[in-house]
Amino acid sequence: MVEKLIAPSILAADFTRLGDDIAMLNKSKADYIHCDVMDGVFVPNISFGVPVIQQISQITEKPLDVHLMIVNPDQFIEVFKQAGAAVLTVHYEACPHLHRTIQRIKQAGMKASVCLNPHTPVHLLEDIIRDVDMVLIMSVNPGFGGQVFIENSYQKVSRLKELILSKNASGLIEVDGGVNYETGKKLYDAGADVLVAGSFVFQSDQPLETINHFKKL
Ligand code: DX5
Ligand code: ZN
């Protein structure tokens, strides 16, 4: 059976006690810690950046899954490697030379992942799918936590799974936005490998148990 992976997004954590939330994640079965970096240009919001990620990396062994919602990500590849990123995700829509960007991320020693906004079709990845370690499907428009899940995302996951199989590729499928037990179960069933969950985890009364429950969906 394919393992169900879960990546809690700390965008929904309590930043006044971030160390406690990371300690909770360390004790949980979370497979990654998802870190949302926003620049106020690519997306209409600003979150946090390199110093925060660098400090988180010092208090966790969990791999950091860094989702760059920024323009010109090439400029920051080495900086995020130094900050402790294990997986670096760039947006298809922000990378005119995506092939080069992906190679640079891998050369820097990280897993390379490409993200598709809700309007970007899966077939545009045909010629890059064998080069990437992961594809991140946005199931909301990036920029904010707590948004409503876009139903078309299930189909995108299925189509991406078909593309990966048809090209004999091996990248993982990750989905981000509006994930809860209901959408999460359907996404795993459609072929998703990794689910990102922010609000649903951190607004729950028992975040650790909530994280662990995803593995059993
Ligand atoms: C949105 C971010 C997400 C966000 C998800 O731009 O990429 O990772 O944290 O939040 P929820 O799970 O609340 O939809
Ligand atoms: Zn994200």
mmCIF file of all heavy atoms in Angstrom, residues 34 36 67 69 136 138 176 196, ligand 2:
data_model
loop_
_atom_site.group_PDB
_atom_site.id
_atom_site.type_symbol
_atom_site.label_atom_id
_atom_site.label_comp_id
_atom_site.label_asym_id
_atom_site.label_seq_id
_atom_site.Cartn_x
_atom_site.Cartn_y
_atom_site.Cartn_z
ATOM 1 N N HIS A 34 5.561 21.980 6.408
ATOM 2 C CA HIS A 34 5.340 22.805 5.218
ATOM 3 C C HIS A 34 5.475 24.283 5.603
ATOM 4 O O HIS A 34 4.789 24.774 6.502
ATOM 5 C CB HIS A 34 3.944 22.506 4.671
ATOM 6 C CG HIS A 34 3.623 23.151 3.369
ATOM 7 N ND1 HIS A 34 3.985 22.617 2.147
ATOM 8 C CD2 HIS A 34 2.957 24.303 3.089
ATOM 9 C CE1 HIS A 34 3.548 23.413 1.180
ATOM 10 N NE2 HIS A 34 2.928 24.445 1.718
ATOM 11 N N ASP A 36 5.303 28.140 4.201
ATOM 12 C CA ASP A 36 4.775 28.968 3.115
ATOM 13 C C ASP A 36 5.450 30.326 3.084
ATOM 14 O O ASP A 36 5.225 31.153 3.973
ATOM 15 C CB ASP A 36 3.263 29.163 3.310
ATOM 16 C CG ASP A 36 2.487 27.891 3.014
ATOM 17 O OD1 ASP A 36 2.636 27.368 1.894
ATOM 18 O OD2 ASP A 36 1.748 27.432 3.901
ATOM 19 N N HIS A 67 7.585 26.038 0.428
ATOM 20 C CA HIS A 67 6.728 26.406 -0.708
ATOM 21 C C HIS A 67 6.932 27.887 -0.998
ATOM 22 O O HIS A 67 6.442 28.746 -0.256
ATOM 23 C CB HIS A 67 5.279 26.085 -0.309
ATOM 24 C CG HIS A 67 4.252 26.477 -1.323
ATOM 25 N ND1 HIS A 67 2.899 26.472 -1.046
ATOM 26 C CD2 HIS A 67 4.358 26.891 -2.617
ATOM 27 C CE1 HIS A 67 2.222 26.865 -2.117
ATOM 28 N NE2 HIS A 67 3.084 27.134 -3.079
ATOM 29 N N MET A 69 6.132 31.092 -2.724
ATOM 30 C CA MET A 69 5.156 31.849 -3.508
ATOM 31 C C MET A 69 5.777 33.215 -3.751
ATOM 32 O O MET A 69 5.341 34.240 -3.201
ATOM 33 C CB MET A 69 3.833 31.942 -2.727
ATOM 34 C CG MET A 69 3.051 30.642 -2.746
ATOM 35 S SD MET A 69 1.822 30.534 -1.429
ATOM 36 C CE MET A 69 2.841 29.855 -0.132
ATOM 37 N N LEU A 136 3.226 19.953 -6.746
ATOM 38 C CA LEU A 136 2.269 20.467 -5.758
ATOM 39 C C LEU A 136 1.078 21.063 -6.501
ATOM 40 O O LEU A 136 1.228 22.009 -7.280
ATOM 41 C CB LEU A 136 2.952 21.530 -4.883
ATOM 42 C CG LEU A 136 2.085 22.274 -3.871
ATOM 43 C CD1 LEU A 136 1.334 21.324 -2.956
ATOM 44 C CD2 LEU A 136 2.953 23.211 -3.022
ATOM 45 N N MET A 138 -2.154 23.199 -6.238
ATOM 46 C CA MET A 138 -2.877 24.136 -5.360
ATOM 47 C C MET A 138 -4.370 23.866 -5.489
ATOM 48 O O MET A 138 -4.926 23.938 -6.582
ATOM 49 C CB MET A 138 -2.607 25.588 -5.756
ATOM 50 C CG MET A 138 -1.258 26.155 -5.368
ATOM 51 S SD MET A 138 -0.711 25.879 -3.681
ATOM 52 C CE MET A 138 -1.990 26.693 -2.723
ATOM 53 N N ASP A 176 -2.386 21.143 -1.699
ATOM 54 C CA ASP A 176 -2.280 22.209 -0.700
ATOM 55 C C ASP A 176 -3.480 23.145 -0.773
ATOM 56 O O ASP A 176 -3.712 23.783 -1.802
ATOM 57 C CB ASP A 176 -0.976 22.972 -0.997
ATOM 58 C CG ASP A 176 -0.654 24.052 0.023
ATOM 59 O OD1 ASP A 176 -1.395 24.210 1.003
ATOM 60 O OD2 ASP A 176 0.366 24.742 -0.192
ATOM 61 N N VAL A 196 -1.017 18.744 2.395
ATOM 62 C CA VAL A 196 -0.661 19.888 3.238
ATOM 63 C C VAL A 196 -1.931 20.293 3.992
ATOM 64 O O VAL A 196 -2.987 20.405 3.383
ATOM 65 C CB VAL A 196 -0.181 21.071 2.376
ATOM 66 C CG1 VAL A 196 0.115 22.290 3.246
ATOM 67 C CG2 VAL A 196 1.052 20.666 1.561
HETATM 68 ZN ZN ZN B 2 1.692 25.937 0.825
#
